[in-house]
Amino acid sequence: MDPRAYAAVDGKIGAIDWVRRDGDVTEFRFRSRLPGVPGPAPRVVSRMSRTPGERVDVRLPPIPANRLARLVSEFSASWVCVPAGGRTAVTRTVRCAFKGPVKWFAEPILRRTLRPDVEDEMRQAKAALER
């Protein structure tokens, strides 16, 4: 729930402009970097909601808080954590779909690049947590 700390392991989170927390909800604005997608990194507002001891869900707030929502038909991400033999098993999910012409450009790139990027993110997060 600390986007500044998590940015150290997630290359999709660029420079963070602000962070606002209210209980189990954190919103933050940052420069989004999609792996393999060239061009300027747009500013995005992201909303993380925590279900204590279970999961964190991420969504994009609607317009006007998030201008990127005009181009994205779906974005969701989550971390689901379950105890597993004295350890914790984590399932990381990222879903992203675009509207209009951006869809034909960005989605084929993300089909190739997003999975390896998320796998690297999880390796880095595991190493950071174990330190």
Side-chain angles (χ1 to χ4, degrees):
M1 296 298 290
D2 181 348
R4 288 190 172 96
Y6 203 77
V9 301
D10 186 352
K12 294 177 292 303
I13 300 173
I16 296 174
D17 296 328
W18 51 258
V19 176
R20 296 181 185 132
R21 290 187 183 90
D22 183 13
D24 288 327
V25 176
T26 299
E27 282 193 350
F28 64 105
R29 189 172 84 170
F30 67 103
R31 288 214 178 257
S32 173
R33 297 182 192 148
L34 294 175
V37 177
R43 282 193 163 84
V44 176
V45 176
S46 185
R47 180 180 294 147
M48 296 186 293
S49 302
R50 180 173 70 115
T51 303
E54 294 179 29
R55 64 185 295 132
V56 173
D57 292 292
V58 181
R59 301 245 188 263
L60 300 179
I63 299 169
N66 204 346
R67 290 180 294 175
L68 185 66
R70 291 184 186 116
L71 301 175
V72 177
S73 62
E74 176 196 354
F75 176 82
S76 64
S78 65
W79 294 263
V80 177
C81 306
V82 294
R87 302 177 77 171
T88 301
V90 177
T91 301
R92 175 76 163 114
T93 305
V94 178
R95 290 187 176 91
C96 190
F98 294 89
K99 298 176 185 175
V102 175
K103 175 180 184 155
W104 307 112
F105 170 73
E107 287 184 7
I109 294 170
L110 289 176
R111 274 195 278 285
R112 286 190 326 270
T113 61
L114 191 56
R115 182 181 183 118
D117 182 83
V118 170
E119 289 170 351
D120 183 57
E121 169 194 339
M122 293 307 299
R123 278 190 295 277
Q124 289 187 57
K126 181 179 187 289
L129 288 168
E130 290 175 344
R131 284 194 286 273

